[in-house]
Amino acid sequence: MIRIGVLISGNGSNLQAILDACREGRIPGEVVVVLSDKADAFGLERARRAGVEAIHVDPAAYPTRTAFDAALAELLQAREVDLVCLAGYMRLVRKPMLTAFPDRILNIHPSLLPAFPGLDAQGQALAYGVKVAGCTVHFVTAGMDEGPIILQAAVPVLEDDTHEDLRARIQAEEHRIYPEAVRLFAEGRLRIEGRRVRILSPTAQEGDS
Ligand code: GRF
């Protein structure tokens, strides 16, 4: 059973998908703490309802972004977290977090990376006119939305899609692949090889090739 910490800034529907998957035994792990940089993030309420410790960490209380990330890392390490999941967390992760959790931070992004990194990926996809959009779960590195890719799912962009239509269609897939990626991590089945992530079969032992 791995111990999971989740970082959020808002609604927390991906957090909910992970909480549900843990509760239903689809992830061999438990969410032990949820941290938010926003006091009013609904995800904090979701965590409390699930009986999970939920903490607002106010960036304004720290002199620098690095100091803020050091505080996050300390909170997570004090709870012996094995894996950190960014779930709608709207900040770049800095060195203290990357050092504390090497290859142990995941993110979900609402595009088929490397297309449309950054803010409002759905709006970027609509503006560009792509016919296929989707979402990506990836390991977090220092750059924005650019670490090795674990899972992706594609959805069509339909003729009359509004921003909200596309957002909802992508989110349905996010709620499927994020828990799945966390499960693979928890089962020790992800191996990073350069930019690629190899997914080991359930029976493969670490060290097999
Ligand atoms: C998701 O679309 C995710 O891909 C992006 O932020 C959104 C968070 O939604 N990183 P929620 O807070 O999980 O509902």
Side-chain angles (χ1 to χ4, degrees):
M1 292 282 279
I2 64 161
R3 297 171 64 79
I4 303 165
V6 183
L7 270 53
I8 59 163
S9 299
N11 177 31
S13 67
N14 281 284
L15 161 67
Q16 190 69 58
I18 293 168
L19 287 168
D20 293 348
C22 289
R23 196 191 58 231
E24 293 163 13
R26 285 182 282 124
I27 293 172
E30 63 171 324
V31 179
V32 295
V33 66
V34 173
L35 305 178
S36 172
D37 63 330
K38 296 273 196 299
D40 60 354
F42 181 61
L44 288 172
E45 181 58 28
R46 293 180 189 270
R48 291 188 192 108
R49 284 181 194 171
V52 173
E53 184 181 21
I55 308 173
H56 168 228
V57 188
D58 185 0
Y62 299 87
T64 62
R65 292 170 183 177
T66 303
F68 174 67
D69 267 35
L72 296 181
E74 204 171 298
L75 286 166
L76 294 163
Q77 284 181 318
R79 287 155 184 78
E80 298 183 337
V81 161
D82 302 299
L83 173 70
V84 180
C85 293
L86 310 186
Y89 178 66
M90 302 304 285
R91 289 171 174 269
L92 270 181
V93 164
R94 314 247 158 204
K95 209 164 182 186
M97 282 290 293
L98 295 167
T99 309
F101 298 98
D103 298 337
R104 287 173 173 271
I105 308 176
L106 309 187
N107 183 42
I108 179 107
H109 183 74
S111 78
L112 293 173
L113 290 171
F116 314 132
L119 291 176
D120 190 19
Q122 302 92 335
Q124 292 185 58
L126 285 172
Y128 199 93
V130 293
K131 302 295 188 188
V132 177
C135 51
T136 303
V137 183
H138 63 94
F139 282 103
V140 171
T141 54
M144 182 159 50
D145 302 324
E146 69 178 30
I149 289 170
I150 301 167
L151 292 175
Q152 293 187 302
V155 302
V157 181
L158 305 180
E159 287 304 318
D160 298 319
D161 266 353
T162 62
H163 190 281
E164 173 54 25
D165 293 335
L166 183 57
R167 193 197 61 76
R169 195 174 305 122
I170 292 171
Q171 275 232 314
E173 290 302 299
E174 293 184 0
H175 300 159
R176 187 175 65 77
I177 68 169
Y178 208 177
E180 171 70 6
V182 174
R183 180 174 71 85
L184 292 170
F185 181 95
E187 292 175 350
R189 290 172 54 195
L190 300 178
R191 191 184 297 164
I192 301 174
E193 298 176 349
R195 266 224 57 88
R196 301 185 66 170
V197 178
R198 182 186 295 275
I199 299 176
L200 305 176
S201 68
T203 51
Q205 298 296 310
E206 189 61 34
D208 286 1
S209 56

